[in-house]
PDB file of all heavy atoms in Angstrom:
ATOM      1  N   GLY A 502      58.361  -3.895  29.766  1.00 37.00           N
ATOM      2  CA  GLY A 502      59.224  -4.639  28.761  1.00 37.00           C
ATOM      3  C   GLY A 502      60.041  -3.523  27.977  1.00 37.00           C
ATOM      4  O   GLY A 502      60.943  -3.995  27.240  1.00 37.00           O
ATOM      5  N   GLU A 503      59.618  -2.256  27.924  1.00 51.00           N
ATOM      6  CA  GLU A 503      60.336  -1.302  27.099  1.00 51.00           C
ATOM      7  C   GLU A 503      61.145  -0.498  27.805  1.00 51.00           C
ATOM      8  O   GLU A 503      61.639   0.652  27.275  1.00 51.00           O
ATOM      9  CB  GLU A 503      59.209  -0.425  26.396  1.00 51.00           C
ATOM     10  CG  GLU A 503      58.412  -1.401  25.351  1.00 51.00           C
ATOM     11  CD  GLU A 503      57.462  -0.529  24.592  1.00 51.00           C
ATOM     12  OE1 GLU A 503      57.302   0.612  24.789  1.00 51.00           O
ATOM     13  OE2 GLU A 503      56.788  -1.129  23.645  1.00 51.00           O
ATOM     14  N   GLY A 504      61.498  -0.684  29.089  1.00 57.00           N
ATOM     15  CA  GLY A 504      62.410   0.199  29.832  1.00 57.00           C
ATOM     16  C   GLY A 504      63.851  -0.204  29.595  1.00 57.00           C
ATOM     17  O   GLY A 504      64.112  -1.087  28.747  1.00 57.00           O
ATOM     18  N   GLU A 505      64.676   0.427  30.363  1.00 65.00           N
ATOM     19  CA  GLU A 505      66.081   0.229  30.222  1.00 65.00           C
ATOM     20  C   GLU A 505      66.575  -1.063  30.900  1.00 65.00           C
ATOM     21  O   GLU A 505      66.082  -1.218  32.004  1.00 65.00           O
ATOM     22  CB  GLU A 505      66.890   1.340  30.731  1.00 65.00           C
ATOM     23  CG  GLU A 505      66.683   2.696  29.972  1.00 65.00           C
ATOM     24  CD  GLU A 505      67.341   3.910  30.600  1.00 65.00           C
ATOM     25  OE1 GLU A 505      67.603   3.868  31.766  1.00 65.00           O
ATOM     26  OE2 GLU A 505      67.769   4.813  29.957  1.00 65.00           O
ATOM     27  N   SER A 506      67.358  -1.808  30.270  1.00 67.00           N
ATOM     28  CA  SER A 506      67.903  -3.061  30.960  1.00 67.00           C
ATOM     29  C   SER A 506      68.999  -2.515  31.973  1.00 67.00           C
ATOM     30  O   SER A 506      69.501  -1.432  31.977  1.00 67.00           O
ATOM     31  CB  SER A 506      68.608  -3.892  29.998  1.00 67.00           C
ATOM     32  OG  SER A 506      69.760  -3.368  29.395  1.00 67.00           O
ATOM     33  N   ASP A 507      69.422  -3.524  32.794  1.00 72.00           N
ATOM     34  CA  ASP A 507      70.548  -3.195  33.789  1.00 72.00           C
ATOM     35  C   ASP A 507      71.807  -2.829  33.116  1.00 72.00           C
ATOM     36  O   ASP A 507      72.492  -1.936  33.529  1.00 72.00           O
ATOM     37  CB  ASP A 507      70.697  -4.346  34.671  1.00 72.00           C
ATOM     38  CG  ASP A 507      69.529  -4.610  35.615  1.00 72.00           C
ATOM     39  OD1 ASP A 507      68.733  -3.555  35.899  1.00 72.00           O
ATOM     40  OD2 ASP A 507      69.306  -5.746  36.072  1.00 72.00           O
ATOM     41  N   THR A 508      72.128  -3.565  32.006  1.00 74.00           N
ATOM     42  CA  THR A 508      73.337  -3.222  31.279  1.00 74.00           C
ATOM     43  C   THR A 508      73.303  -1.832  30.692  1.00 74.00           C
ATOM     44  O   THR A 508      74.321  -1.053  30.763  1.00 74.00           O
ATOM     45  CB  THR A 508      73.467  -4.296  30.151  1.00 74.00           C
ATOM     46  OG1 THR A 508      73.250  -5.651  30.587  1.00 74.00           O
ATOM     47  CG2 THR A 508      74.931  -4.201  29.413  1.00 74.00           C
ATOM     48  N   GLU A 509      72.200  -1.453  30.128  1.00 76.00           N
ATOM     49  CA  GLU A 509      72.053  -0.094  29.586  1.00 76.00           C
ATOM     50  C   GLU A 509      72.199   1.058  30.661  1.00 76.00           C
ATOM     51  O   GLU A 509      72.829   1.984  30.492  1.00 76.00           O
ATOM     52  CB  GLU A 509      70.708   0.081  28.855  1.00 76.00           C
ATOM     53  CG  GLU A 509      70.592  -0.834  27.600  1.00 76.00           C
ATOM     54  CD  GLU A 509      69.316  -0.897  27.033  1.00 76.00           C
ATOM     55  OE1 GLU A 509      68.213  -0.603  27.780  1.00 76.00           O
ATOM     56  OE2 GLU A 509      69.053  -1.120  25.797  1.00 76.00           O
ATOM     57  N   ILE A 510      71.673   0.706  31.791  1.00 78.00           N
ATOM     58  CA  ILE A 510      71.698   1.718  32.841  1.00 78.00           C
ATOM     59  C   ILE A 510      73.209   1.828  33.320  1.00 78.00           C
ATOM     60  O   ILE A 510      73.713   2.992  33.524  1.00 78.00           O
ATOM     61  CB  ILE A 510      71.043   1.307  34.093  1.00 78.00           C
ATOM     62  CG1 ILE A 510      69.358   1.272  33.745  1.00 78.00           C
ATOM     63  CG2 ILE A 510      71.155   2.106  35.408  1.00 78.00           C
ATOM     64  CD1 ILE A 510      68.455   0.733  34.757  1.00 78.00           C
ATOM     65  N   VAL A 511      73.974   0.822  33.513  1.00 78.00           N
ATOM     66  CA  VAL A 511      75.348   0.767  33.933  1.00 78.00           C
ATOM     67  C   VAL A 511      76.128   1.557  32.906  1.00 78.00           C
ATOM     68  O   VAL A 511      76.963   2.441  33.203  1.00 78.00           O
ATOM     69  CB  VAL A 511      75.868  -0.554  34.155  1.00 78.00           C
ATOM     70  CG1 VAL A 511      77.431  -0.431  34.487  1.00 78.00           C
ATOM     71  CG2 VAL A 511      75.138  -1.179  35.369  1.00 78.00           C
ATOM     72  N   TYR A 512      75.893   1.164  31.589  1.00 83.00           N
ATOM     73  CA  TYR A 512      76.751   1.795  30.517  1.00 83.00           C
ATOM     74  C   TYR A 512      76.314   3.302  30.416  1.00 83.00           C
ATOM     75  O   TYR A 512      77.327   4.107  30.258  1.00 83.00           O
ATOM     76  CB  TYR A 512      76.369   1.099  29.236  1.00 83.00           C
ATOM     77  CG  TYR A 512      76.990   1.584  27.819  1.00 83.00           C
ATOM     78  CD1 TYR A 512      78.324   1.676  27.863  1.00 83.00           C
ATOM     79  CD2 TYR A 512      76.214   2.250  26.946  1.00 83.00           C
ATOM     80  CE1 TYR A 512      78.902   2.156  26.655  1.00 83.00           C
ATOM     81  CE2 TYR A 512      76.843   2.732  25.779  1.00 83.00           C
ATOM     82  CZ  TYR A 512      78.156   2.757  25.682  1.00 83.00           C
ATOM     83  OH  TYR A 512      78.784   3.189  24.427  1.00 83.00           O
ATOM     84  N   LYS A 513      75.214   3.719  30.518  1.00 84.00           N
ATOM     85  CA  LYS A 513      74.634   5.085  30.519  1.00 84.00           C
ATOM     86  C   LYS A 513      75.334   5.930  31.602  1.00 84.00           C
ATOM     87  O   LYS A 513      75.829   6.920  31.343  1.00 84.00           O
ATOM     88  CB  LYS A 513      73.224   5.104  30.608  1.00 84.00           C
ATOM     89  CG  LYS A 513      72.596   6.530  30.556  1.00 84.00           C
ATOM     90  CD  LYS A 513      71.112   6.543  30.615  1.00 84.00           C
ATOM     91  CE  LYS A 513      70.682   6.342  32.095  1.00 84.00           C
ATOM     92  NZ  LYS A 513      69.211   6.472  32.189  1.00 84.00           N
ATOM     93  N   GLU A 514      75.248   5.427  32.773  1.00 85.00           N
ATOM     94  CA  GLU A 514      75.702   6.172  34.008  1.00 85.00           C
ATOM     95  C   GLU A 514      77.190   6.324  33.952  1.00 85.00           C
ATOM     96  O   GLU A 514      77.621   7.440  34.336  1.00 85.00           O
ATOM     97  CB  GLU A 514      75.324   5.480  35.283  1.00 85.00           C
ATOM     98  CG  GLU A 514      73.715   5.488  35.466  1.00 85.00           C
ATOM     99  CD  GLU A 514      73.110   6.906  35.506  1.00 85.00           C
ATOM    100  OE1 GLU A 514      73.798   7.749  36.125  1.00 85.00           O
ATOM    101  OE2 GLU A 514      72.011   7.147  35.166  1.00 85.00           O
ATOM    102  N   ASN A 515      77.895   5.224  33.624  1.00 85.00           N
ATOM    103  CA  ASN A 515      79.416   5.209  33.722  1.00 85.00           C
ATOM    104  C   ASN A 515      80.100   5.739  32.380  1.00 85.00           C
ATOM    105  O   ASN A 515      81.252   6.172  32.563  1.00 85.00           O
ATOM    106  CB  ASN A 515      79.882   3.830  34.038  1.00 85.00           C
ATOM    107  CG  ASN A 515      79.563   3.501  35.372  1.00 85.00           C
ATOM    108  OD1 ASN A 515      80.224   3.758  36.470  1.00 85.00           O
ATOM    109  ND2 ASN A 515      78.417   2.676  35.600  1.00 85.00           N
ATOM    110  N   ILE A 516      79.527   5.598  31.277  1.00 88.00           N
ATOM    111  CA  ILE A 516      80.222   6.096  29.992  1.00 88.00           C
ATOM    112  C   ILE A 516      79.573   7.162  29.351  1.00 88.00           C
ATOM    113  O   ILE A 516      80.127   8.208  29.128  1.00 88.00           O
ATOM    114  CB  ILE A 516      80.206   4.748  29.101  1.00 88.00           C
ATOM    115  CG1 ILE A 516      80.947   3.584  29.727  1.00 88.00           C
ATOM    116  CG2 ILE A 516      80.940   5.205  27.771  1.00 88.00           C
ATOM    117  CD1 ILE A 516      82.501   3.957  29.960  1.00 88.00           C
ATOM    118  N   LEU A 517      78.273   7.118  29.021  1.00 90.00           N
ATOM    119  CA  LEU A 517      77.638   7.979  28.247  1.00 90.00           C
ATOM    120  C   LEU A 517      77.389   9.285  28.787  1.00 90.00           C
ATOM    121  O   LEU A 517      77.655  10.411  28.264  1.00 90.00           O
ATOM    122  CB  LEU A 517      76.332   7.495  27.635  1.00 90.00           C
ATOM    123  CG  LEU A 517      76.441   6.367  26.584  1.00 90.00           C
ATOM    124  CD1 LEU A 517      75.123   6.118  25.782  1.00 90.00           C
ATOM    125  CD2 LEU A 517      77.451   6.592  25.477  1.00 90.00           C
ATOM    126  N   LYS A 518      76.954   9.397  30.062  1.00 91.00           N
ATOM    127  CA  LYS A 518      76.698  10.579  30.743  1.00 91.00           C
ATOM    128  C   LYS A 518      77.867  11.448  30.849  1.00 91.00           C
ATOM    129  O   LYS A 518      77.826  12.619  30.712  1.00 91.00           O
ATOM    130  CB  LYS A 518      75.884  10.304  32.087  1.00 91.00           C
ATOM    131  CG  LYS A 518      74.406  10.126  32.044  1.00 91.00           C
ATOM    132  CD  LYS A 518      73.679  10.087  33.272  1.00 91.00           C
ATOM    133  CE  LYS A 518      72.171  10.043  33.027  1.00 91.00           C
ATOM    134  NZ  LYS A 518      71.557  10.091  34.430  1.00 91.00           N
ATOM    135  N   PRO A 519      79.073  10.950  31.350  1.00 92.00           N
ATOM    136  CA  PRO A 519      80.167  11.787  31.445  1.00 92.00           C
ATOM    137  C   PRO A 519      80.693  12.304  30.113  1.00 92.00           C
ATOM    138  O   PRO A 519      81.096  13.364  30.063  1.00 92.00           O
ATOM    139  CB  PRO A 519      81.289  10.674  31.940  1.00 92.00           C
ATOM    140  CG  PRO A 519      80.406   9.642  32.654  1.00 92.00           C
ATOM    141  CD  PRO A 519      79.201   9.468  31.875  1.00 92.00           C
ATOM    142  N   ILE A 520      80.399  11.486  28.997  1.00 94.00           N
ATOM    143  CA  ILE A 520      80.858  11.954  27.667  1.00 94.00           C
ATOM    144  C   ILE A 520      79.876  13.129  27.253  1.00 94.00           C
ATOM    145  O   ILE A 520      80.446  14.320  26.910  1.00 94.00           O
ATOM    146  CB  ILE A 520      80.791  10.829  26.558  1.00 94.00           C
ATOM    147  CG1 ILE A 520      81.755   9.760  26.876  1.00 94.00           C
ATOM    148  CG2 ILE A 520      80.868  11.511  25.183  1.00 94.00           C
ATOM    149  CD1 ILE A 520      81.705   8.621  25.988  1.00 94.00           C
ATOM    150  N   LEU A 521      78.660  12.921  27.481  1.00 94.00           N
ATOM    151  CA  LEU A 521      77.712  13.993  27.096  1.00 94.00           C
ATOM    152  C   LEU A 521      77.841  15.362  27.916  1.00 94.00           C
ATOM    153  O   LEU A 521      77.635  16.395  27.398  1.00 94.00           O
ATOM    154  CB  LEU A 521      76.162  13.438  27.146  1.00 94.00           C
ATOM    155  CG  LEU A 521      75.943  12.440  26.146  1.00 94.00           C
ATOM    156  CD1 LEU A 521      74.515  11.775  26.455  1.00 94.00           C
ATOM    157  CD2 LEU A 521      76.061  12.736  24.610  1.00 94.00           C
ATOM    158  N   ALA A 522      78.196  15.111  29.267  1.00 93.00           N
ATOM    159  CA  ALA A 522      78.386  16.237  30.059  1.00 93.00           C
ATOM    160  C   ALA A 522      79.520  17.043  29.632  1.00 93.00           C
ATOM    161  O   ALA A 522      79.510  18.221  29.792  1.00 93.00           O
ATOM    162  CB  ALA A 522      78.565  15.781  31.567  1.00 93.00           C
TER     163      ALA A 522
END
Side-chain angles (χ1 to χ4, degrees):
E503 295 184 353
E505 295 177 332
S506 69
D507 292 336
T508 311
E509 289 168 340
I510 292 171
V511 174
Y512 178 62
K513 178 181 76 172
E514 295 296 328
N515 291 275
I516 301 294
L517 291 194
K518 279 192 173 181
I520 291 174
L521 296 173

